[in-house]
Amino acid sequence: MIEIGLAGKPNAGKSTFFKAATLAEVEIASYPFTTIQPNVGVAYVRSQCVCKELGVECKECVDGRRYIPIKLIDVAGLVPEAHKGRGLGNEFLDNLRQSEAIIHVVDASGSTDAEGNEVGIGERDPIEDVKFLYHELDMWVFNILKRNWARLVRRISMEKIPAYRLIAEQLGGLGFDEIQVKESLRTVGKEVEKISDDDLLAFASELRKRRMKMLIAANKADKAPDELIKRMLNLEEIVVPVSAEVELTLRMASKNGYIRYYLGDRDFEIIKELNEKQLKALELIRRFMRKNNGTGVQEALNRIVFDLLDYIVVYPVEDENKFTDTKGNVLPDALLVKKGTTAKELAFLIHTDIGKNFIHAIDARKKMRIADDYELKNNDVIKIVSSA
Ligand SMILES: Nc1nc2c(ncn2[C@@H]2O[C@H](COP(=O)(O)OP(=O)(O)OP(=O)(O)O)[C@@H](O)[C@H]2O)c(=O)[nH]1
Ligand SMILES: [Mg+2]
């Protein structure tokens, strides 16, 4: 399952985002360091199910809304100089090792200082928070490199193994691949023996950029001045205005039967008698959603998976006429695969045995055989023929 991490300074709303997306019971409070141990849960990306288009009834979607699970991790807040041990230090970043990308939850309302203490709205520049997280992540990678650098350089000069290979091995646990290391080294442009501490930091930064793809959730958008949101939208990263709190309110109201609301919808329906105060609160929420096209939580999850990480959805089936598995379930699985995945690679993703015994694949829409190296497209429905 794809794993996405939530990072940011204390009190930015990471756990609120996490709870809104997973409905897991986690602690949320208006002071720093509420979260210490990481929270792990299942969230969903949303896509349009292909059942309608294929003219079949499927039980896996909610009226065409198909939710595909991903893993979400919420960690402790990070304060400036965490790499020198301030706050909780940055060792908990180890919890993000497996994450394919990070949602940086920023308090876009500027109402918490660098350490996460509450201040007046707009008193803190959220752009500073964006910069600081990069710096802390760079220092984290730098320290990991630095720990063994001298020994590594010695090994590189003694053994006839390319530097990038040994460095990738050293960073193995962080999920860096050789290509990322090779490209980063090339950008620094020096022989490893000549790399100074400054160069090593630049190298760490290049590595971080390639490994830790990031989307910015401009959170607390419900109370952020428009001006601050506008400035954040000018950043080069993907920035999504979000109100984790609004999403959480909606999900709780839906869970308790007050409203009908589906994750990622742009509106909701009141289905229970409510008092004036409740109606007023929901009206404010509705106004926010109209302005922002929803709460932003689903959009952030979708954009990190589909736009930043380049995943597509494919539907494997066993019966290309009925679009079912062997038990007759219609469109039983929606899989997230990287753009560029081939039909044969899909077979391996489904099961190693199916991959090893792969014969050919069929495009179930066209009922036509496709090449082994056919690159899957979003919403493809595929039957794998295998002797397994
Ligand atoms: N107005 C508003 N407040 C929010 C929003 N999201 C979170 N908050 C509030 O911000 C405070 C901090 O929320 P948390 O989710 O605990 O923040 P955190 O980033 O997990 O904090 P730490 O665990 O301490 O690092 C709480 O009082 C939340 O209710 C939002 O979208 N809008
Ligand atoms: Mg928290």
Side-chain angles (χ1 to χ4, degrees):
M1 212 188 279
I2 302 174
E3 202 172 303
I4 303 290
L6 293 169
K9 73 180 182 187
N11 225 353
K14 299 177 296 299
S15 298
T16 309
F17 186 109
F18 178 83
K19 184 171 179 182
T22 63
L23 285 186
E25 280 309 323
V26 295
E27 228 179 309
I28 293 171
S30 61
Y31 47 80
F33 300 118
T34 306
T35 308
I36 296 183
Q37 293 302 324
N39 298 307
V40 182
V42 174
Y44 299 86
V45 293
R46 173 176 158 163
S47 81
Q48 182 68 36
C49 188
V50 294
C51 62
K52 289 220 166 118
E53 181 197 328
L54 297 174
V56 289
E57 288 262 336
C58 97
K59 294 203 179 79
E60 308 297 330
C61 67
V62 189
D63 205 14
R65 304 169 184 85
R66 183 97 186 197
Y67 293 103
I68 308 166
I70 60 170
K71 196 162 151 192
L72 199 62
I73 302 188
D74 167 38
V75 299
L78 201 64
V79 294
E81 314 260 271
H83 66 275
K84 292 184 183 156
R86 285 201 62 232
L88 296 175
N90 61 6
E91 276 157 44
F92 64 86
L93 284 177
D94 286 351
N95 298 318
L96 297 178
R97 287 166 172 259
Q98 307 295 330
S99 295
E100 267 184 60
I102 292 174
I103 295 180
H104 181 186
V105 180
V106 177
D107 176 354
S109 73
S111 64
T112 40
D113 68 14
E115 324 274 319
N117 303 301
E118 292 197 310
V119 294
I121 289 180
E123 277 181 32
R124 165 79 181 169
D125 181 359
I127 307 274
E128 291 300 316
D129 290 341
V130 174
K131 288 190 205 149
F132 121 82
L133 186 74
Y134 289 142
H135 179 66
E136 288 303 325
L137 290 173
D138 290 351
M139 291 307 296
W140 177 54
V141 178
F142 170 82
N143 283 331
I144 293 168
L145 280 171
K146 180 74 185 166
R147 229 174 281 152
N148 291 304
W149 190 251
R151 197 152 44 96
L152 204 68
V153 171
R154 242 176 292 136
R155 260 190 82 189
I156 290 166
S157 55
M158 266 158 36
E159 297 171 34
K160 294 239 164 336
I161 304 172
Y164 65 84
R165 188 154 296 162
L166 277 180
I167 297 169
E169 195 184 294
Q170 164 87 11
L171 293 168
L174 296 178
F176 285 98
D177 62 42
E178 287 185 2
I179 296 169
Q180 289 165 334
V181 176
K182 199 173 176 178
E183 284 175 2
S184 304
L185 259 185
R186 194 180 307 139
T187 310
V188 173
K190 282 196 183 166
E191 304 272 316
V192 280
E193 293 82 5
K194 295 189 182 128
I195 282 181
S196 65
D197 271 6
D198 281 350
D199 299 328
L200 199 59
L201 181 56
F203 178 43
S205 183
E206 290 297 329
L207 284 166
R208 184 266 303 160
K209 276 181 212 159
R210 287 173 175 80
R211 170 68 186 86
M212 291 168 216
K213 296 226 169 104
M214 212 171 291
L215 174 141
I216 296 173
N219 194 35
K220 307 194 188 180
D222 53 288
K223 65 170 184 183
D226 286 347
E227 186 49 38
L228 282 186
I229 296 281
K230 214 188 282 168
R231 281 188 53 217
M232 291 202 68
L233 287 170
N234 281 335
L235 291 169
E236 58 183 34
E237 292 86 348
I238 300 180
V239 178
V240 181
V242 169
S243 176
E245 191 164 88
V246 164
E247 178 72 41
L248 185 56
T249 307
L250 288 171
R251 294 212 58 194
M252 294 325 265
S254 159
K255 198 176 161 192
N256 295 320
Y258 293 107
I259 61 170
R260 186 172 297 124
Y261 168 69
Y262 300 107
L263 214 68
D265 274 8
R266 285 162 187 190
D267 205 353
F268 55 87
E269 191 189 337
I270 296 169
I271 52 173
K272 212 177 188 175
E273 194 97 7
L274 299 177
N275 65 35
E276 207 159 306
K277 200 174 148 211
Q278 291 169 320
L279 285 172
K280 212 165 164 189
L282 284 175
E283 205 34 58
L284 278 177
I285 285 181
R286 182 165 272 145
R287 215 178 299 161
F288 173 80
M289 291 173 82
R290 291 252 160 89
K291 186 171 159 198
N292 294 277
N293 275 327
T295 69
V297 170
Q298 188 66 64
E299 192 184 341
L301 293 170
N302 268 34
R303 292 200 66 188
I304 199 165
V305 169
F306 295 123
D307 296 349
L308 196 66
L309 292 174
D310 273 340
Y311 278 88
I312 57 169
V313 183
V314 296
Y315 295 81
V317 293
E318 300 265 2
D319 182 327
E320 71 273 33
N321 296 307
K322 295 186 181 139
F323 309 115
T324 60
D325 62 11
T326 46
K327 296 182 198 107
N329 300 309
V330 178
L331 298 169
D333 294 308
L335 297 185
L336 292 168
V337 302
K338 280 272 188 190
K339 208 176 264 176
T341 300
T342 64
K344 190 165 181 183
E345 284 163 352
L346 174 68
F348 276 97
L349 288 174
I350 295 169
H351 199 285
T352 324
D353 285 342
I354 294 182
K356 279 186 193 153
N357 298 293
F358 176 88
I359 299 171
H360 64 261
I362 294 170
D363 177 334
R365 289 170 195 271
K366 297 182 185 147
K367 325 284 177 217
M368 258 167 52
R369 196 175 149 164
I370 49 179
D372 298 1
D373 63 354
Y374 166 84
E375 278 191 15
L376 300 168
K377 284 197 280 304
N378 192 41
N379 285 342
D380 268 350
V381 186
I382 303 288
K383 175 189 164 79
I384 302 287
V385 182
S386 156
S387 62

